[in-house]
Amino acid sequence: MFDTEYFWFETFSKTLDHVDDTEREEKIEDTAVVFIHVEAEDELRKSKVVKKAVANQKWYLNKVNKERMVLHSFAHLSSSKSSPEFAVEIILAIKEKLDNKGIDVHTTAFGYFSEFSIHVRGESLAKVFKEI
C-alpha cells in the first residue's frame, strides 16, 4: 500500500483475451494505492481474504488520513496465482465493501498491463506491505 500525491495510469496492452476491450487513462490525486496479488491458496478462503483485506485497507486509510483508494491487480510478481476470474472477483468484492463504507474506490483495468506513474510520499507509513 502506498500513500501517494497522485497515481496516473493508462491501459497499455491486453493480457487476457476474454476481458472487454478498453482504453482508459486516469489520474487520481491524494490517494492510497494498493497493489493486489491474489494467490491460488486464497481460492479456499475467499471470505477471510476479503474481510482481512478490507480491514487492512481501512486501517491504512485511517493512518494516512485518506478517503480515496486505487486497487491495482499486480499478479505477475509471484509464482502462486489464482485464476484470473477469482482475482477479479476478490478485487470487486473488496471494492464493493469499501464503497459501502463511504470510500472513493478506483480500479485499474483488469486483464491489462498498464503504464503508470506514481508519486509516493516519503514518510515511513507511505509504504506498507501486508500479507493476508
Side-chain angles (χ1 to χ4, degrees):
M1 294 181 277
F2 302 97
D3 177 12
T4 73
E5 287 188 26
Y6 69 85
F7 180 76
W8 168 87
F9 73 92
E10 180 176 19
T11 52
F12 181 74
S13 65
K14 193 173 184 178
T15 60
L16 297 173
D17 291 335
H18 69 276
V19 298
D20 292 337
D21 290 339
T22 188
E23 288 186 25
R24 286 181 55 198
E25 179 180 4
E26 195 171 347
K27 182 177 182 180
I28 302 107
E29 296 186 3
D30 198 31
T31 187
V33 176
V34 179
F35 284 25
I36 296 178
H37 171 73
V38 183
E39 297 180 336
E41 41 284 6
D42 294 336
E43 295 191 32
L44 302 173
R45 53 190 197 108
K46 177 184 176 184
S47 61
K48 182 178 180 181
V49 168
V50 170
K51 185 177 180 177
K52 276 189 86 173
V54 168
N56 277 297
Q57 291 165 17
K58 273 285 289 164
W59 168 86
Y60 188 69
L61 288 169
N62 288 332
K63 287 292 186 186
V64 296
N65 196 27
K66 296 281 185 281
E67 296 178 4
R68 181 177 305 120
M69 178 170 279
V70 177
L71 304 177
H72 176 64
S73 175
F74 210 66
H76 62 280
L77 293 181
S78 173
S79 59
S80 173
K81 296 178 189 141
S82 74
S83 69
E85 295 78 16
F86 184 74
V88 76
E89 194 178 312
I90 288 283
I91 291 167
L92 293 177
I94 292 168
K95 179 185 182 333
E96 180 181 4
K97 290 196 179 293
L98 291 170
D99 281 339
N100 290 340
K101 294 180 181 297
I103 313 260
D104 178 18
V105 183
H106 300 255
T107 57
T108 57
F110 187 86
Y112 280 80
F113 286 131
S114 294
E115 180 175 339
F116 61 87
S117 179
I118 185 170
H119 182 136
V120 178
R121 299 182 194 283
E123 295 86 2
S124 128
L125 268 178
K127 302 154 270 310
V128 173
F129 173 80
K130 293 284 186 181
E131 185 170 340
I132 298 175

